DNA sequence: CCATTTTTAGTAATGATTACTATTTTTAAA
DNA sequence: TTTAAAAATAGTAATCATTACTAAAAATGG
């Protein structure tokens, strides 16, 4: 419930903050082990998750571990329920405007494409949100 | 290289097209087994991947399999290299405009948030493709 | 029919993540 | 400072989505 001050957590956070590489847990584990050779991979996973839940670090990506598929290959957008994991189509007229701006952004960045995903609890979701903190 | 016509592929595609649920491979496997009780899970995975590569179905992809973390919790955006999997910060003045439109979209949709990810090969990328998200 | 290519079912292996547990460390109050 | 409760740890095992492997079956294009 409350964060204890441990060298493991301090080093994990400070090393992560030094990096611009957006490491995976195991990549950070390799780095942290130079300072704390005895640290375990599980500790890195656990601390990153805890700190992400607390908003101290950012976890890149909203999707779950399982891939999802769609028979509709037209460009359209999805909203994922953070509680039950369901994915639903969403539609909004403003998205064509967003797309046109993002196509300019793609040129600026010399990027290939973009993905947008919305999050929101589904109306008929029966799983109650678990409040953290 | 060329798709043979098999009952497995036909049923997988037709059942996927019937659904609005954006199923995972194993969810679709359960459904397809009602028509083809002998089909194997591997066949469902393989066909979905092949058809996604061919653009016949859509794979909802935001993020690779490994989670990535960022010490910077300010809202900013990332570009993922489809070849080596590296994730880099990107910056563009137009994004504030995109954000303001999307905040309106959030109200329309009664959604909570959004996630945007760019894809693009990194300049110095020479690594072989690691994963196809 | 036949030779070649593709696909399959079934199973094993992989790999990221999470769960478990006995022990250690931290905390906060006495 | 002592101490009991709470939190966190290292090490390991288990989970589970996905991918790889393989011999057999099916599809293809004559
Ligand atoms: Mn859809
Ligand atoms: Mn970043
Ligand atoms: Zn829901
Ligand atoms: Zn790259």
């Amino acid at each position: 419930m409350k964060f204890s001050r441990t060298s493991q957590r301090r080093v994990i956070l400070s090393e992560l903050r030094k990096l611009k590489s957006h490491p995976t847990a195991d990549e950070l584990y390799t780095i942290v082990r130079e300072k704390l050779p005895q640290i375990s991979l599980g500790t890195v996973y656990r601390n990153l998750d805890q700190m992400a839940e607390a908003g101290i670090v950012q976890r890149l990506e909203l999707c779950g571990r399982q891939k999802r598929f769609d028979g509709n290959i037209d460009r359209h957008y999805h909203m994922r329920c953070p509680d039950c994991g369901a994915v639903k189509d969403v539609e909004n007229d403003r998205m064509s405007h967003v797309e046109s701006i993002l196509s300019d952004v793609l040129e600026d960045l010399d990027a290939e494409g973009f993905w947008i995903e919305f999050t929101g609890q589904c109306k008929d979701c029966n799983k109650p949100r678990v409040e953290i903190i």
Side-chain angles (χ1 to χ4, degrees), chain A:
Chain A
M1 205 65 200
K2 201 172 161 202
F3 280 142
S4 296
R5 291 180 191 176
T6 67
S7 56
Q8 290 89 343
R9 181 144 42 222
R10 180 175 44 75
V11 173
I12 288 169
L13 183 56
S14 69
E15 292 301 314
L16 175 60
R17 283 180 169 161
K18 285 182 199 169
L19 294 171
K20 300 196 168 188
S21 62
H22 308 88
T24 60
D26 64 296
E27 287 168 353
L28 192 54
Y29 171 59
T30 301
I31 291 163
V32 167
R33 259 193 304 182
E34 292 174 19
K35 295 265 166 64
L36 300 172
Q38 299 307 318
I39 199 172
S40 75
L41 178 58
T43 296
V44 176
Y45 268 105
R46 182 170 11 84
N47 276 281
L48 285 172
D49 284 343
Q50 287 170 338
M51 291 191 290
E53 286 303 325
I56 297 166
V57 304
Q58 185 176 181
R59 188 164 38 206
L60 309 185
E61 70 216 309
L62 294 176
C63 63
R65 288 180 58 194
Q66 285 186 82
K67 292 169 188 169
R68 289 183 179 274
F69 297 85
D70 192 336
N72 178 2
I73 56 177
D74 297 332
R75 181 178 276 282
H76 64 288
Y77 300 96
H78 297 102
M79 184 162 73
R80 184 182 303 266
C81 174
D83 298 327
C84 69
V87 173
K88 291 185 178 170
D89 291 340
V90 294
E91 228 174 305
N92 191 276
D93 291 338
R94 303 180 210 260
M95 292 309 294
S96 59
H97 191 189
V98 170
E99 284 164 20
S100 89
I101 298 170
L102 286 182
S103 78
D104 291 338
V105 175
L106 289 188
E107 279 193 32
D108 291 352
L109 298 178
D110 196 24
E112 293 166 11
F114 61 85
W115 280 92
I116 301 177
E117 186 177 280
F118 296 95
T119 54
Q121 195 178 45
C122 39
K123 304 274 183 300
D124 52 339
C125 183
N126 43 18
K127 291 189 186 176
R129 172 179 287 268
V130 179
E131 286 297 339
I132 296 132
I133 304 172

